[in-house]
Amino acid sequence: MNDENIKLSPLEELKDKSNYLRGRFKELLADDSTHMPKEEIQLLKFHGSYQQDDRDLRSQLIKEKKEKAFSFMIRTRHAAGLVTPEQYLAFDNLSNNVGNKTMRMTTRQTFQFHGVLKKDLKTLIRTVNESLSTTSGTCGDIVRNVTGDPAPFESRKKIKLQEYCQALSDQFLSQSGAYYDVWLEGSKVEAPEILKEGPEPIYGKTYLPRKFKIAMVYPDVNSVDVLTNDIGIAAEVDADENLSGFNIFVGGGFGMSLTNPDTYPRLATPLCFVKPDELLDVTKAIVLVQKENGNRSDRKQARLKYLIDKKGMDWFRQETEKKFGKKLESAHEVTFKDVDLYLGWHEEGDGKWFFGLSVENGRVKDEGDFRLKTALRTVVEKYKPTLFLTAQQDVLLSGFTEDQKKDVEEIFTSHGILLPEQISNVRKDSMACPAFPTCGLAFSESERVLPDLTTELAGKLKELGLDQNRIMIRMTGCPNGCARPYNSEIAFVGRTPGTYTFYIGGSLRGDRLNFVLKDKVPYAELIPTLLPILSSYKENKSEDESFGDYCARMGKDSLLSLVEK
Ligand code: SRM
Ligand code: SF4
């Protein structure tokens, strides 16, 4: 135990006394209240759900002295984004029957349901489990969904990274029987043998100090923003394309608070190289070092990145070696290429094709002539493709034959969905977090305003002759970083209602943090602030230089002088 652990955060006591996350759920789910008490709100996260209230209605309801409009967000778990067609259809039904009729593909390759009432929580969680998925450990102080490169190329399947992601996800799944007792008892789902009364073999009674994220990519292809994770894993292959091992990076994380200078975004740094059969043990060793040494007093300092920066990489390496039981080999050099969105048609191998569909901000919905939800359901019912969610909030539909391609395209276009080649580059490379009305932490709008902003910007880029370039924009409603703004070429981070901190200079490769250009920029000023920089890029960039690389080369002062001119 370290000094910080002398006065523990109240959540530590709550976890300790929860009887391995059982809390009082059984009795609370049986009553007819619309919401949970504050203790169970925290414990519920470990089971995959957040209590929220409709922020559009909040102030009016308070004025009228009425109860807030409570509902729940629920997140599923899919290692490397793999979703079976049966799961997809079950989720589509659930969102219609007990959700707000939309689903959201998240930046960590999962689905989120919103607007679920307390009385329907059990139905939703049971049905997710009956479809052989789970919501366990998708939120809370635990290892979250393990992300991984989603593209289902046959050549990559041979390297089996999907299976490694699944094995990691399984290794770190909670083994408390609470999940089964609370949500699944009496359902069709059989109690898995690994579930126990306690103790949890890895987590113990108090789980981890904070959330913990793991991601894996193919050599060079940073398709899941691997360096933004607590553990980032880059596979390495030999000259014959056989897997030779994994380079392990540690201490990535983006959450920060602009008013707390001790918090900051950090990209993961190299720790070691391990052989394929050492992956599970080395990740377990890292998680245990964080579990035993991470800050349990101040949750704002509890992520692995702060432990590593405080104690140093040498210390961290030694502690990991102690848990791992042997010396760690130094990491090999890894360089990343631009993130491939995998949109449009790609030959998988074996005569099959996959189709990458761009889904704006991951929101699957029907709205007027835009009927994405019906279109996806139609394609999934008809062709039963396996789905792979991407970390850019898009989806890859896999397993089509050549002669099915035309019909698949027609289903989408007849439902008002643009094919990837009809969408502007800037829109394809944009991401927004949900923010209002569901997220309790949002200061400004995000998902609801980014589409209009990208429409306007796409027009300006066309006028400038930059519409064929890739330019990446990410927006969030607060500095927590859910759409990973801090390595984006351009990012707008909610600061106060209607204003944003304007970041610039990240990279399409995801390997460089950006910097603050201006603070508290009103929404209406975001594009006018960007335009002089885009013009200067057009005029002065060197051949093939990306926008982010250009901005990083120019630096803050020269970019600001362009804006202020
Ligand atoms: Fe996140 C909290 C949504 C990916 C950093 N995130 C939240 C909550 C649950 C708000 C809350 O605590 O009350 C948001 C729910 C909003 C809603 O209405 O749905 C939320 N985060 C999301 C999603 C849905 C954004 C999206 O556009 O897809 C992503 C769900 C991922 C998943 O499937 O598991 C999501 N969140 C991320 C990422 C990106 C990533 O992991 O690749 C980050 C930055 C990386 C990191 O973890 O450092 C991220 N979320 C946070 C943080 C800040 C953590 C920190 O270290 O300080 C919070 C707040 C917290 O934990 O206290 C947060
Ligand atoms: Fe909410 Fe902030 Fe995350 Fe957006 S970035 S979903 S506003 S916590």
Side-chain angles (χ1 to χ4, degrees), residues 147-180:
T147 60
D149 188 290
F153 294 113
E154 278 303 317
S155 57
R156 293 191 184 173
K157 279 192 205 153
K158 273 200 314 220
I159 310 177
K160 297 189 185 309
L161 291 200
Q162 216 292 324
E163 288 170 31
Y164 281 101
C165 289
Q166 188 65 56
L168 283 168
S169 178
D170 292 348
Q171 163 162 279
F172 292 114
L173 203 59
S174 161
Q175 293 190 23
S176 161
Y179 187 80
Y180 188 86

Side-chain angles (χ1 to χ4, degrees), residues 378-406:
T378 309
V379 171
V380 176
E381 272 176 342
K382 190 162 176 184
Y383 294 111
K384 305 273 180 296
T386 302
L387 297 88
F388 294 89
L389 304 178
T390 80
Q392 284 73 37
Q393 306 168 320
D394 296 324
V395 64
L396 316 180
L397 304 159
S398 146
F400 297 104
T401 56
E402 173 76 43
D403 60 346
Q404 294 168 339
K405 286 163 62 183
K406 197 158 175 279

Side-chain angles (χ1 to χ4, degrees), residues 45 49-52 73-77 104-114 137-141 144-145 147 210-215 224-225 228-230 252-257 263-266 299-306 361-363 391 393 431-442 446-447 475-476 478-486:
K45 296 180 185 176
S49 176
Y50 269 71
Q51 180 170 303
Q52 303 183 317
M73 175 275 273
I74 297 154
R75 209 177 264 168
T76 56
R77 189 171 179 115
R104 202 167 189 285
M105 299 171 180
T106 75
T107 53
R108 290 197 73 76
Q109 301 176 286
T110 75
F111 277 109
Q112 275 189 190
F113 301 93
H114 286 108
T138 53
C139 314
D141 299 340
R144 305 289 187 86
N145 190 47
T147 60
R210 202 65 164 88
K211 58 175 67 169
F212 196 99
K213 297 181 173 176
I214 303 181
V224 297
D225 250 341
T228 64
N229 288 265
D230 297 85
F254 270 7
M256 68 172 289
S257 154
T263 62
Y264 47 85
R266 184 184 191 277
R299 290 183 62 80
K300 296 231 169 279
Q301 289 294 306
R303 292 292 292 269
L304 178 65
K305 60 183 173 179
Y306 300 117
N361 301 325
R363 185 68 71 178
Q393 306 168 320
M431 290 207 290
C433 74
F436 287 91
T438 51
C439 180
L441 306 178
S446 184
E447 182 184 338
M475 183 181 247
T476 56
C478 85
N480 279 315
C482 298
R484 295 188 297 269
Y486 305 116

Side-chain angles (χ1 to χ4, degrees), residues 27 32 36 75 90 104 125 165 186 201 205 293 295 314 349 362 421 433 485-486 496 506 508 533 549 560:
E27 86 190 66
D32 58 6
M36 300 268 184
R75 209 177 264 168
R104 202 167 189 285
I125 293 179
C165 289
K205 282 177 100 176
N293 299 278
N295 189 326
D314 289 342
E421 63 272 20
C433 74
Y486 305 116
T496 60
L508 286 163
I533 303 176
D549 289 353
L560 262 185

Side-chain angles (χ1 to χ4, degrees), residues 8-31:
L8 297 177
S9 97
L11 240 102
E12 292 302 320
E13 194 185 342
L14 180 67
K15 288 185 273 182
D16 193 16
K17 294 197 169 145
S18 73
N19 187 14
Y20 297 98
L21 309 176
R22 279 176 179 79
R24 293 166 51 223
F25 287 115
K26 280 198 163 179
E27 86 190 66
L28 293 167
L29 286 167
D31 74 30

Side-chain angles (χ1 to χ4, degrees), residues 62 112 135 162 392 402 408 437 442 523 562:
I62 291 174
Q112 275 189 190
T135 67
Q162 216 292 324
Q392 284 73 37
E402 173 76 43
V408 171
Y523 174 80
L562 292 170

